[in-house]
Amino acid sequence: MLCRETTMWQLVLMIAGLALVWAYTRWARVKRFWAELGVPHLRAHPLYGSLDFLHHENPAVWMRRLYDRKSPYTGIWLFWRPALIINSPEIARRVLVKDSDYFRDRFLGTGTTKGDPIGGLSLVLANDPLWSSLRRHVTPVFTSAKLKGMHTLNLVKSKELVQRIDRELAQKKDIEIRSVYSDFTTDITSIFGFGVDSNATLTGEGLMRTITLNFMEYDLFRSFSWYSIFFFPTLVNIFRFKLFPRHTTRYFKKMFRSLLAQRGGYAGTEHHDLFGALLKMKHQADLKGEAMDENLVLAQALTFVQAGFDTSAVMLTYITYELAFQPEIQDKLYNELLEARQRNDGNDLDGNILSELTYMNCVINEALRKYPAMGWLDRLASKDYQIDENLTVPAGMPVYVNVVGMHYDPEYFPDPDNFDPDRFLPEREQNIKPFTFMPFGQGPRNCIGTRYAY
Ligand code: HEM
């Protein structure tokens, strides 16, 4: 008996020893990767590679730390997987636009449809050819005419926002401004997307607001889910992590079914909002006899709510924050709005007039520069790609364009920590080097909601 136990322990020790030797040899090879290519690189940790920000630092701050003005690119490791950070606007232009055929996919969420059958189909995570087809179907929702049609709604909701702030001030409440803005952007997004008015701007709650509040929940499990989706998508399939929290998806599905019934099913009356475009996409596939999973429709609906409401609410929050510190900028902006209103015979300003307000757009752009929603633009090389005479990126390598690094590079934006909207005045904006200001990304995979967000 004793002898059999000893043999078993010997076997376990032997397997553990072999595993250690394998891990060590593999790690030694991984660690040499960038040095052998002669690429400037960071030190790699044997457990998390270059991801030393995990759980204690904002990823955009980490990305800023990685930015190296002296080198057009830097090699990093996502755990043990080599990836490349692009610091040069010229290379960014080639990766994002000129040679974007090599970089149509994101590494983010790659191949996660098994573990996350809804989130994995989202436009943000989908890879080609699914991505191209989805993008083609939803692009018409964002035409100028459709966006103009939003004007009355925006106005109503903006007035409600003012009422809400007035009311809370009168009640001498502290105003949690990010949450109030999220109520507002939830209403705008859900009316534009689905024709559903949650009335959250006035009340702080509602059908769709329940969903967007769920999106904002963050705990250890959600953080593991996010980090895996971003940097280790293989884990998504193993641990069944989800882009959208499970309970949110369940709740949204019920709402989705009832909206679908109200519209007479997939073949019902045509509506010109996002939901209408998604229903049409499924209906057309049904007519052609192509099996289109309902999850594909659900995923896009959830994606637009998630991608739209928080990014815009955060931007509004940062603008308010900066204006609070710089009353002279606030006054200048306020005067520009007052003058525009006077020129418009005291009437409310529509989208056309607003888009021509030079200073207001400078304020928005400066906030987008200082606080970009995405610190980097993530792409995956589909084929070997020659970056320059020294470096060819192998197929399957993640590539990150360091947007936040460039937004804070004093060569492109002098005194970058200073909130200075004047740098976007037309006479100065023309000096901004192309591909150094990319708050909405660039190229075919840029933000589909850019004009809508403005
Ligand atoms: C201030 C507001 C916003 C900012 C700063 C922002 C920023 C971004 C960025 C940086 C990307 C990645 C682009 C790239 O990889 O080149 C992106 C993608 C995306 N955004 Fe936005 N966004 C905003 C608002 C919105 C809105 C309002 C919507 C929808 C209603 C939206 C929907 C999307 C979608 C669906 C994608 C993925 C596009 C694709 O992969 O084809 N975003 N956004």
Side-chain angles (χ1 to χ4, degrees), residues 134-312:
L134 283 174
R135 179 105 186 187
R136 212 176 33 251
H137 278 99
V138 289
T139 296
V141 178
F142 295 89
T143 58
S144 308
K146 300 257 170 64
L147 296 177
K148 266 191 194 151
M150 289 276 293
H151 169 62
T152 317
L153 155 72
N154 285 341
L155 208 60
V156 170
K157 287 292 156 190
S158 305
K159 288 184 175 174
E160 287 182 8
L161 178 65
V162 176
Q163 266 183 48
R164 164 93 177 269
I165 293 174
D166 276 346
R167 194 182 65 215
E168 299 205 355
L169 283 176
Q171 291 166 350
K172 301 214 179 324
K173 277 190 186 168
D174 280 342
I175 300 179
E176 183 28 272
I177 200 73
R178 175 166 176 197
S179 144
V180 173
Y181 283 146
S182 301
D183 294 336
F184 169 71
T185 54
T186 298
D187 273 355
I188 302 259
T189 313
S190 64
I191 301 175
F192 176 63
F194 309 95
V196 176
D197 186 356
S198 275
N199 208 20
T201 311
L202 279 177
T203 64
E205 50 192 36
L207 260 182
M208 199 61 101
R209 187 64 181 121
T210 308
I211 292 170
T212 57
L213 274 168
N214 285 345
F215 279 149
M216 291 171 83
E217 280 169 14
Y218 198 71
D219 53 26
L220 198 62
F221 184 75
R222 283 303 290 155
S223 75
F224 277 124
S225 310
W226 276 117
Y227 290 138
S228 305
I229 291 169
F230 268 88
F231 302 115
F232 206 156
T234 318
L235 289 186
V236 172
N237 291 335
I238 299 172
F239 294 104
R240 311 260 148 189
F241 290 135
K242 304 283 182 268
L243 176 66
F244 310 113
R246 278 169 228 267
H247 55 293
T248 317
T249 309
R250 270 198 301 274
Y251 181 85
F252 189 76
K253 259 188 188 167
K254 279 194 207 143
M255 204 180 111
F256 179 90
R257 294 263 145 72
S258 107
L259 283 173
L260 187 62
Q262 278 170 29
R263 295 197 180 193
Y266 287 107
T269 340
E270 206 171 297
H271 288 257
H272 296 285
D273 53 10
L274 173 74
F275 197 56
L278 295 176
L279 300 190
K280 191 169 157 196
M281 173 175 84
K282 166 104 170 85
H283 181 53
Q284 283 175 345
D286 290 347
L287 288 179
K288 284 191 221 152
E290 294 164 4
M292 183 182 276
D293 193 338
E294 188 172 84
N295 281 345
L296 196 74
V297 182
L298 256 173
Q300 309 325 313
L302 278 161
T303 297
F304 280 88
V305 179
Q306 188 175 48
F309 96 97
D310 197 34
T311 44
S312 325

Side-chain angles (χ1 to χ4, degrees), residues 96 104 106 122-126 131 134-135 138 142 189 192 274 300 303-316 364 368 371-379 403 438-454:
L96 299 172
R104 291 182 86 74
R106 295 200 172 94
S122 148
L123 184 68
V124 180
L125 269 48
W131 169 76
L134 283 174
R135 179 105 186 187
V138 289
F142 295 89
T189 313
F192 176 63
L274 173 74
Q300 309 325 313
T303 297
F304 280 88
V305 179
Q306 188 175 48
F309 96 97
D310 197 34
T311 44
S312 325
V314 166
M315 275 338 294
L316 288 169
I364 295 174
L368 287 164
Y371 307 102
M374 279 296 300
W376 62 83
L377 304 171
D378 156 3
R379 299 290 187 270
V403 171
M438 296 183 281
F440 292 99
Q442 276 286 355
R445 219 134 183 188
N446 72 348
C447 174
I448 201 169
T450 307
R451 288 188 309 143
Y452 171 69
Y454 271 105

Side-chain angles (χ1 to χ4, degrees), residues 160 186 322 339 341 351 357 362 388 441:
E160 287 182 8
T186 298
E322 290 287 354
E339 281 162 23
R341 200 173 161 137
L357 295 184
C362 292
D388 58 24

